[in-house]
Amino acid sequence: MLNPIDTDAIIRDGRVAGAFPDEIHEGVAWWVAACFVVVSRAQQMAVAHDSHPTTAEFHQRFCRGAVNAGHFRCQVSSLGTADEAQLLHAMKELGGVPGALLTTTDGGGRQTVTIRLYDADGQPVIEDTGLARLRQMIASDRVPLPVNDQAKGRITERRDLVEAL
């Protein structure tokens, strides 16, 4: 695995989080998204982020990882900047799809990037509902390989779902 991470340290407590760039890097977002699509068997998902500049690259990589996960052809609705309530609303409006919220906080001279995953019912993904399997896939270098253009999904900008609130 190129640029490995300590999966036990950053994938825990119902989230994926770590100091950037020491503990977590942008590639982790791709890995998490691809594995989340496989674990949740998602055909569609909603993805949002805060307005922090660091989060923007993680968001882009997350979306690309989701559409490239195996042959699921996952359709990603990119909400842009949104909070948790807006994400959960959009997930429901899309028919009850899984989702992800990416955020970055600054503190003590470091940035911490957090990825929170939600199942199709809007509940946080925790150890028993997929986080343990996702961590195991990444730790054992079983991240789905990118697929060809005919097999991958599509990213659609859906800011309208956030603006409706």
Side-chain angles (χ1 to χ4, degrees):
M1 175 183 296
L2 184 63
N3 214 353
I5 58 168
D6 182 348
T7 54
D8 291 331
I10 70 162
I11 304 173
R12 61 181 172 76
D13 302 331
R15 61 180 170 54
V16 178
F20 172 74
D22 300 328
E23 298 171 336
I24 194 170
H25 54 81
E26 295 93 336
V28 174
W30 175 292
W31 302 343
V32 169
C35 292
F36 183 48
V37 167
V38 171
V39 168
S40 65
R41 306 190 68 72
Q43 297 292 310
Q44 184 177 9
M45 80 169 46
V47 182
H49 64 88
D50 64 8
S51 60
H52 198 286
T54 299
T55 312
E57 180 64 26
F58 277 82
H59 175 260
Q60 182 181 41
R61 295 274 185 103
F62 189 97
C63 292
R64 289 196 324 239
V67 300
N68 274 289
H71 293 276
F72 284 87
R73 297 184 64 105
C74 184
Q75 304 302 309
V76 173
S77 294
S78 176
L79 307 177
T81 302
D83 61 23
E84 183 181 46
Q86 292 168 316
L87 169 65
L88 295 174
H89 171 76
M91 290 165 52
K92 187 175 180 181
E93 287 294 311
L94 290 167
V97 302
L101 179 62
L102 292 80
T103 59
T104 301
T105 55
D106 292 307
R110 68 184 236 175
Q111 296 179 342
T112 300
V113 176
T114 301
I115 303 170
R116 295 197 185 277
L117 305 171
Y118 300 87
D119 66 18
D121 295 324
Q123 297 300 309
V125 174
I126 57 173
E127 287 296 306
D128 297 343
T129 60
L131 203 61
R133 184 164 173 227
L134 186 144
R135 181 177 45 252
Q136 190 276 330
M137 287 176 74
I138 294 172
S140 62
D141 198 16
R142 299 192 53 87
V143 175
L145 296 173
V147 295
N148 63 40
D149 286 342
Q150 290 76 32
K152 72 180 179 180
R154 189 178 67 233
I155 301 168
T156 305
E157 297 295 326
R158 291 297 312 267
R159 287 180 172 72
D160 59 299
L161 293 170
V162 173
E163 294 166 0
L165 282 181

